[in-house]
């Protein structure tokens, strides 16, 4: 709010469209979750977030979201300038195709439209700024468990107890400054008190986890994959449900999320816009924090 822009959302769901037709007027509504929390993909998620706030709440249950992550958001600043504020299922290539934009140097009117993507990792907003679109804060889609991005090498260090994870000195949903100091948590000290929650993609972290079967058996490590075979569509569908699942793990102390673009086999992400969108959600769930290890 406060930016002077109005967001227009057109759902692609028969129940939502029927509701809009029945209303016969434009419907103004926020997202159906508490601010900054993980986005809902089922009616049950909405009830978990908002049910306690209003016992008279009515929820229209149209089933589980087919895509999972939220829609692509574009900002139209002029007749020739379009900026993608949030990546989603509709890709930049789709937008260009719909506008008949090509990469040629032809000066025709249709090809003079500029379509850019905002780098929200470095140009993120703070809560005191006017928001020109959703998903612009560094901390967003965030579970109520401290979360970090990791690579296989860092996970191997942590699980072998060669290093400890430096926990944030701030609460969940608060960005952690680079100078923040917190306590050190070591896996071999976690027995019965702490659980390391690991979310994977394409089995990139599974070999490291499998090498610590005793920690898995004792409950010090729990593991879940967004997609075993590396399906981007499956990861998109599962990511928010997986982030909400982390809040239900007994003694869950820290969530380790795959920093996919930094993995040794990360080349496919360069040509997969939907995977970029999934990693954007993981990046914000971790408040942009890459795991910091200590000895």
């Amino acid at each position: 709010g406060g930016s002077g822009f109005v967001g227009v959302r057109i759902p692609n769901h028969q129940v939502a469209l029927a509701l809009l037709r029945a209303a016969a007027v434009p419907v103004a509504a926020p997202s159906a979750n508490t601010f900054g929390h993980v986005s809902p993909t089922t009616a049950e998620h909405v009830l978990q977030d908002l049910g306690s706030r209003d016992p008279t709440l009515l929820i229209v249950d149209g089933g589980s979201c087919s895509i999972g992550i939220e829609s692509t958001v574009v900002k139209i600043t002029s007749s020739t300038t379009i900026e993608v504020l949030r990546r989603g299922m509709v890709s930049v290539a789709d937008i260009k195709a719909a506008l008949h934009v090509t990469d040629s140097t032809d000066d025709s009117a249709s090809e003079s439209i500029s379509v850019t993507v905002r780098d929200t990792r470095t140009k993120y907003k703070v809560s005191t700024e006017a928001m020109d679109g959703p998903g612009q804060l560094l901390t967003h889609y965030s579970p109520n468990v401290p979360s970090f991005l990791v690579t296989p090498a860092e996970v191997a260090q942590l699980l072998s107890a060669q290093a400890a994870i430096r926990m944030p000195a701030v609460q969940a949903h608060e960005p952690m400054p680079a100078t923040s100091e917190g306590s050190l948590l070591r896996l071999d000290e976690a027995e019965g008190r702490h659980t390391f929650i690991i979310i994977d993609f394409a089995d990139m972290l599974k070999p490291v986890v499998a090498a610590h079967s005793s920690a898995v058996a004792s409950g010090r490590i729990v593991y879940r994959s967004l997609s075993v075979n590396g399906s981007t569509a499956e990861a998109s569908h599962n990511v928010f449900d997986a982030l909400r699942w982390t809040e239900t793990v007994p003694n869950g102390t820290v969530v380790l999320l795959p920093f996919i673009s930094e993995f040794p086999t990360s080349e496919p992400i360069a040509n997969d816009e939907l995977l970029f969108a999934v990693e954007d959600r993981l990046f914000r769930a971790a408040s942009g924090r890459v795991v910091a290890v200590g000895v």
Side-chain angles (χ1 to χ4, degrees):
S3 68
F5 283 84
V6 175
V8 179
R9 182 179 301 180
I10 304 175
N12 183 23
H13 191 287
Q14 60 180 359
V15 174
L17 292 173
L19 176 63
L20 293 175
R21 284 193 293 268
V25 294
V27 176
S31 298
N33 62 296
T34 52
F35 180 74
H37 194 218
V38 183
S39 296
T41 55
T42 67
E44 179 62 29
H45 292 165
V46 177
L47 183 63
Q48 290 169 0
D49 265 19
L50 305 178
S52 63
R53 299 183 176 215
D54 184 358
T56 66
L57 181 68
L58 297 177
I59 301 174
V60 179
D61 188 352
S64 176
C65 291
S66 58
I67 295 173
I69 63 170
E70 311 91 334
S71 54
T72 304
V73 176
V74 299
K75 177 180 179 180
I76 302 173
T77 55
S78 74
S79 61
T80 59
T81 306
I82 293 176
E83 183 180 22
V84 177
L85 302 186
R86 181 178 71 188
R87 292 181 184 267
M89 175 60 81
V90 178
S91 67
V92 173
D94 293 332
I95 295 169
K96 288 183 175 181
L99 297 172
H100 306 291
V101 175
T102 70
D103 294 326
S104 74
T105 57
D106 192 313
D107 290 331
S108 65
S110 64
E111 292 175 349
S112 64
I113 299 174
S114 169
V115 181
T116 60
V117 180
R118 179 177 294 177
D119 181 6
T120 46
R121 291 190 181 186
T122 58
K123 297 180 180 178
Y124 56 84
K125 302 281 188 177
V126 296
S127 58
T128 55
E129 289 184 85
M131 298 292 161
D132 55 358
Q136 301 303 297
L137 295 173
L138 178 60
T139 301
H140 208 55
Y141 321 112
S142 183
N144 295 321
V145 185
S147 303
F148 301 86
L149 297 164
V150 293
T151 64
E154 291 160 341
V155 171
Q157 278 189 293
L158 292 170
L159 299 193
S160 65
Q162 294 175 353
I165 187 168
R166 187 171 296 282
M167 298 296 288
V170 294
Q171 298 299 313
H173 295 295
E174 295 180 32
M176 185 177 71
T179 56
S180 251
E181 291 292 335
S183 59
L184 290 174
L185 176 63
R186 194 180 298 273
L187 180 63
D188 57 1
E189 299 170 348
E191 187 74 53
R193 296 183 296 114
H194 304 292
T195 298
F196 284 52
I197 305 168
I198 298 176
I199 293 181
D200 198 3
F201 173 73
D203 280 357
M204 293 179 176
L205 301 175
K206 190 172 183 178
V208 181
V209 174
H212 299 276
S213 56
S214 61
V216 174
S218 68
R220 288 178 292 160
I221 298 173
V222 296
Y223 172 91
R224 178 168 173 169
S225 181
L226 299 179
S227 174
V228 172
N229 61 7
S231 165
T232 305
E234 185 180 17
S236 171
H237 183 270
N238 292 337
V239 63
F240 286 143
D241 189 60
L243 289 173
R244 284 178 174 265
W245 163 77
T246 65
E247 299 177 334
T248 69
V249 175
N251 300 318
T253 305
V254 62
V255 180
L256 304 179
L257 303 171
F259 201 173
I260 302 170
S261 61
E262 298 297 320
F263 278 21
T265 56
S266 63
E267 186 175 342
I269 196 173
N271 300 311
D272 193 331
E273 288 195 46
L274 187 58
L275 192 54
F276 264 125
V278 171
E279 187 174 70
D280 172 73
R281 275 48 170 200
L282 296 174
F283 187 86
R284 295 181 194 293
S287 301
R289 300 182 301 216
V290 180
V291 71
V293 297
V295 294

